Amino acid sequence: MKHKREVAVTLTPELFDRLRVEAELLGVSITWLVASLIVDTVDKVPISLTSL
């Protein structure tokens, strides 16, 4: 059985606009940019595998 993991993110309109502009400048989708920011943040937080 596969488990699907999802993360919901709420962005203020101002932050969304800033990230959209940044994504356009980088030539990536805003979805990819937001996902990479989440991964970078989560990677810095130690998580016990037993808590998953």
Side-chain angles (χ1 to χ4, degrees):
M1 172 190 268
K2 287 188 176 184
H3 295 283
K4 185 175 182 182
R5 299 193 184 222
E6 296 180 356
V7 175
V9 178
T10 303
L11 304 173
T12 64
E14 295 83 10
L15 181 56
F16 181 85
D17 287 340
R18 177 65 185 138
L19 291 175
R20 183 184 49 77
V21 169
E22 193 67 27
E24 288 176 7
L25 290 172
L26 293 170
V28 298
S29 72
I30 189 167
T31 304
W32 186 90
L33 181 61
V34 172
S36 67
L37 292 171
I38 292 169
V39 168
D40 288 348
T41 301
V42 170
D43 282 348
K44 293 178 184 179
V45 177
I47 299 174
S48 169
L49 291 179
T50 57
S51 67
L52 297 176

